[in-house]
Amino acid sequence: MSKKYQELKKTNASQILSIISKLIIQIENTYDDEYNLFDAKVEKDILDFRSLLKKISGNTIELKINTPWEFEDYSTEIDGKEILVKKDPNIKDYISIKDVYNFIPYIPFKTDLDIIKPFTKKTSLTNIEFLFMYDNNGYLSILEGELLKVKIPFIRVVFNMHTHPEGHCGFSVPDINSGLDLLSEGGLATSVVTDTCAIVMHRQGLITENDYIKIKSRKYENEIFDSIKFTKIIY
């Protein structure tokens, strides 16, 4: 029996996602619920891929934010790079943190599609599924699953996705349940990918109890949620 495929690598998306995750988690950790979370502001260039790729090419990555609640400057490290999140009340070109949540689903498909597509093609040919896990330390793990299924381990990652054969661009009930648990534990997004499209389930702020109960009760047909969004991406 041949050994299942597994790979650990650093990619543009893995680095960008880990940096954005550090930023969002720190804003969420300091958030004062007397305010609206979406009043947190971030430099506008965080939505620009060229700017992000330039940032990750350096050894120090500085991210400027502004919040109406108290926020102390935060420093951490990812794979030898220093990440600095600084509060700056004088940011001129900014966007809401909500725009950052809505930007996250597109990151892997804008920068890592050449890595993802060979595995989606293989799934369409063989029905063997693959799991992609973008972690908090700037790395992507790729793991081979089984015929028409992949076991998604419950570990904290920023973004996970798994392949489906072409024509099956949608979540199963177990996919949604495991994805909800990931988002509830601080993950940002989960996705199903095929050779031509992806469906992404992602956070819009902190998961609310009402949304969690609705989804666990399978009450999500034609529902609009406060803290979760589904986005379809065609490529």
Side-chain angles (χ1 to χ4, degrees):
M1 180 181 293
S2 61
K3 185 178 179 181
K4 289 185 180 296
Y5 181 89
Q6 54 182 320
E7 182 179 7
L8 177 69
K9 63 195 304 176
K10 183 165 62 176
T11 70
N12 287 331
S14 68
Q15 294 178 86
I16 291 170
L17 283 167
S18 62
I19 291 164
I20 289 179
S21 173
K22 299 288 187 186
L23 171 76
I24 287 178
I25 296 301
Q26 194 60 22
I27 289 174
E28 291 174 347
N29 285 344
T30 61
Y31 168 59
D32 183 335
D33 61 12
E34 290 184 6
Y35 299 91
N36 186 328
L37 176 64
F38 298 149
D39 287 339
K41 299 178 177 65
V42 184
E43 283 183 295
K44 189 176 182 179
D45 64 3
I46 202 166
L47 302 189
D48 182 88
F49 281 104
R50 284 179 296 182
S51 175
L52 285 167
L53 292 172
K54 185 177 179 181
K55 282 181 184 293
I56 66 175
S57 67
N59 292 322
T60 300
I61 299 164
E62 185 174 294
L63 304 167
K64 292 181 181 178
I65 68 159
N66 191 20
T67 62
W69 56 86
E70 289 188 16
F71 183 95
E72 293 185 3
D73 291 351
Y74 172 72
S75 175
T76 187
E77 187 178 291
I78 297 173
D79 192 34
K81 298 179 187 291
E82 185 181 17
I83 315 298
L84 299 173
V85 184
K86 292 187 172 183
K87 184 170 182 175
D88 183 351
N90 301 312
I91 300 175
K92 293 181 180 179
D93 294 324
Y94 60 83
I95 43 92
S96 164
I97 192 68
K98 185 173 184 178
D99 296 310
V100 182
Y101 287 113
N102 286 327
F103 174 65
I104 287 162
Y106 298 93
I107 294 171
F109 308 105
K110 289 289 187 180
T111 62
D112 279 4
L113 194 56
D114 60 331
I115 296 170
I116 296 166
K117 288 202 73 169
F119 294 96
T120 61
K121 289 181 183 296
K122 190 175 292 188
T123 297
S124 290
L125 289 172
T126 66
N127 284 329
I128 294 173
E129 297 186 358
F130 292 86
L131 173 65
F132 300 77
M133 295 187 295
Y134 290 92
D135 65 31
N136 290 283
N137 298 312
Y139 285 87
L140 165 63
S141 298
I142 306 173
L143 306 174
E144 181 180 341
E146 307 287 344
L147 285 171
L148 295 174
K149 67 178 180 179
V150 62
K151 184 176 181 180
I152 302 177
F154 184 66
I155 58 174
R156 290 191 179 188
V157 294
V158 178
F159 193 136
N160 72 24
M161 65 176 73
H162 67 280
T163 58
H164 275 187
E166 184 60 26
H168 297 274
C169 189
F171 290 107
S172 67
V173 171
D175 290 341
I176 289 179
N177 285 334
S178 63
L180 178 61
D181 290 335
L182 170 69
L183 302 187
S184 299
E185 290 293 325
L188 298 179
T190 184
S191 177
V192 167
V193 293
T194 71
D195 200 31
T196 57
C197 79
I199 184 79
V200 186
M201 176 182 174
H202 56 106
R203 284 209 284 123
Q204 299 278 281
L206 299 164
I207 300 296
T208 66
E209 183 179 5
N210 191 41
D211 285 350
Y212 187 91
I213 291 170
K214 278 185 190 176
I215 290 181
K216 283 294 186 179
S217 303
R218 300 191 186 182
K219 295 178 181 177
Y220 41 76
E221 285 293 328
N222 302 314
E223 283 280 354
I224 297 176
F225 301 103
D226 295 320
S227 58
I228 294 171
K229 187 173 180 181
F230 291 85
T231 297
K232 190 169 186 178
I233 300 171
I234 306 295
Y235 39 78

